[in-house]
């Protein structure tokens, strides 16, 4: 039976939307919200672009690669459009925010662009597009965050909850403040209510999201601070685990560090990007912290929570990065012994301060540095995974393992993936496992019964 739903005055009958997401967790979460929003308007999700009435590509510009991928994927939908000119193709996310009208002119396949600050306008855009309007450009930011976006209604064991959007830091390489706007925090009451709803729907773990969660509501003295917000979330009945990302060393307070030692629901894992190990490079990056400050924070974190898993982002080949600067990055990695690292070759992003400087590291140098860094980190990751052998870990069982139908997969509090023999009745359970083998990207374990 075809569904008949009235969407702001027009009838939408069983129409299908295909959403393709590139980029970070923030973008993944935006896609979830866009889906929830169009579902309330009668659209159903499809995994097959060939049968979609609306195709939405949600992209991120932070690094060049996802952006290029998005261009090529939008281009591919041209064929679909030739077959069926009724198909509506939209580009959302940071790429849309930055490209705006220019993209509409440049990519003939595109019917609309939608910036991350205007997601709530999606139903209106689709209504106009269904009436034949093309070339719709909806970008920019409004004061305050729209708090009334629907949360995804399908029960999610692990859910993302946005606590703040945008960023005021202006790291010199970073496009985020341009494409996601200034920092705006959501009211704590709205965040808490959203988490309570999610928990009622079956969520066991939340990840609080923001470009810089540690500076949550810093400019609003009446609002809770970030550690106070964590404390309130910690006592929500039924919620088993709390995580947050991303953190900035400059705003990570002692109080937040201490929250990892409370033994509550906050999992002992912190993603704390350091970007570079050389103070001269950090200064040019406008990071607002030194390597010494970063190392002191790592030390404090490990004093408070010795088992904490620490991951980070790092870049190679920033303008002016010499061999000695790069050696300092390697030295910091050896010193900290991260549990995992996300490493990137610097690429200039239009509109940022660093884009005005000469990109003086050749691609070959960047590539070589990246390989050296990744080789170093691979050794550390494997060694640290092996160190966990024979330990007992609590995991939240998420589902079947990708590799075998008789193997289940869960995550430790310090965010390691554990595969273990078991059945799907365990999904959603917190269980203890003994780690039997540490591998490069995951652990093997067995249930302690
Ligand atoms: N070039 C390369 N990597 C970048 N990142 C941000 N901007 C750039 C850029 N211009 C990386 C940083 C950041 C992560 C999300 O992406 O390491 O923490
Ligand atoms: Fe970009 Fe720096 Fe803000 Fe992170 S803190 S989003 S790197 S400007």
């Amino acid at each position: 039976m075809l569904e008949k739903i009235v969407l702001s005055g027009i009838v939408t009958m069983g129409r299908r939307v295909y959403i393709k997401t590139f980029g970070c967790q923030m973008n993944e979460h935006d896609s979830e919200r866009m889906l929830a929003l169009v579902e309330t308007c009668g659209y159903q999700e499809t995994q097959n672009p060939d049968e979609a009435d609306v195709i939405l590509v949600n992209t991120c510009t932070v690094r060049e690669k996802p952006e290029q991928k998005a261009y090529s994927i939008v281009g591919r939908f041209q064929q679909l459009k030739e077959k069926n000119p009724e198909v509506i193709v939209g580009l959302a996310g940071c790429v849309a925010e930055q490209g705006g009208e220019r993209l509409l002119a440049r990519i003939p396949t595109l019917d609309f662009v939608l910036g991350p600050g205007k997601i709530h306008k999606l139903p209106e855009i689709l209504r106009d597009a269904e009436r034949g309007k093309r070339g719709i450009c909806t970008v920019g930011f409004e004061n305050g965050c729209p708090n009334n976006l629907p949360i995804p209604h399908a029960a999610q064991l692990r859910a993302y909850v946005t606590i703040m959007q945008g960023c005021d830091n202006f790291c010199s390489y970073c496009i985020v403040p341009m494409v996601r706007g200034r920092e705006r925090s959501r009211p704590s009451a709205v965040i808490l209510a959203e988490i309570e709803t999610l928990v009622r729907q079956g969520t066991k773990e939340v990840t609080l999201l923001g470009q810089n969660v540690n500076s949550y509501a810093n400019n609003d003295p009446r609002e809770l601070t970030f550690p106070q917000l964590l404390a309130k979330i910690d006592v929500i009945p039924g919620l088993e685990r709390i995580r947050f990302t991303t953190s900035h060393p400059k705003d990570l307070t002692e109080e937040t560090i201490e929250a990892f030692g409370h033994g509550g629901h906050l999992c002992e894992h912190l993603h704390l990007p350091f970007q570079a190990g050389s103070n001269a490079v950090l200064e040019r990056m406008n990071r607002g912290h030194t390597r010494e400050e970063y190392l002191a924070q790592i030390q404090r974190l490990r004093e408070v929570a010795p088992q904490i898993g620490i991951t980070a982002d790092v870049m190679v080949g920033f303008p002016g990065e010499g061999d000695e600067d790069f050696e300092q990055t390697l030295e910091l990695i050896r010193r900290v012994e991260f549990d995992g690292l996300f490493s990137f070759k610097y690429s200039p992003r239009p509109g940022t301060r660093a884009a005005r400087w000469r990109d003086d590291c050749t691609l070959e140098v960047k590539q070589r540095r990246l390989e050296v860094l990744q080789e170093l980190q691979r050794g550390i990751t494997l060694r640290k995974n092996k160190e966990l052998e024979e330990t007992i870990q609590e995991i939240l069982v998420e589902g079947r393992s990708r590799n075998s139908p008789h193997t289940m997969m869960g995550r430790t509090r310090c965010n390691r993936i554990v595969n273990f023999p078991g059945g799907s009745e365990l999904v959603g359970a917190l269980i203890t496992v003994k780690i039997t083998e540490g591998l490069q990207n995951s652990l093997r374990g067995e249930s302690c019964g």
Side-chain angles (χ1 to χ4, degrees), residues 22-87:
F22 297 96
C24 61
Q25 283 157 322
M26 194 74 103
N27 248 32
E28 293 278 348
H29 184 54
D30 282 351
S31 288
E32 285 174 5
R33 289 194 164 235
M34 286 193 276
L35 179 63
L37 203 56
V38 298
E39 279 179 344
T40 62
C41 304
Y43 282 85
Q44 284 170 347
E45 189 183 20
T46 171
Q47 303 297 335
N48 178 4
D50 292 331
E51 59 176 40
D53 302 287
V54 173
I55 292 172
L56 195 51
V57 181
N58 185 19
T59 57
C60 160
T61 44
V62 170
R63 293 177 300 277
E64 225 155 33
K65 237 165 121 202
E67 183 175 353
Q68 281 160 358
K69 248 197 238 168
Y71 282 138
S72 70
I73 196 163
V74 172
R76 259 184 276 149
F77 294 132
Q78 178 60 34
Q79 284 171 335
L80 282 183
K81 241 184 146 159
E82 278 161 14
K83 269 194 265 164
N84 176 9
E86 302 277 288
V87 175

Side-chain angles (χ1 to χ4, degrees), residues 167-212:
C167 182
D168 286 346
N169 283 325
F170 292 95
C171 300
S172 61
Y173 52 81
C174 185
I175 204 164
V176 165
M178 270 71 86
V179 292
R180 290 208 173 247
R182 292 298 84 74
E183 195 174 299
R184 293 134 5 243
S185 294
R186 297 176 74 203
S188 54
V190 174
I191 295 168
L192 292 165
E194 183 167 319
I195 298 176
E196 280 163 9
T197 305
L198 284 164
V199 171
R200 272 199 300 277
Q201 292 170 348
T203 294
K204 298 266 171 73
E205 175 180 309
V206 290
T207 301
L208 311 179
L209 277 187
Q211 302 296 340
N212 178 10

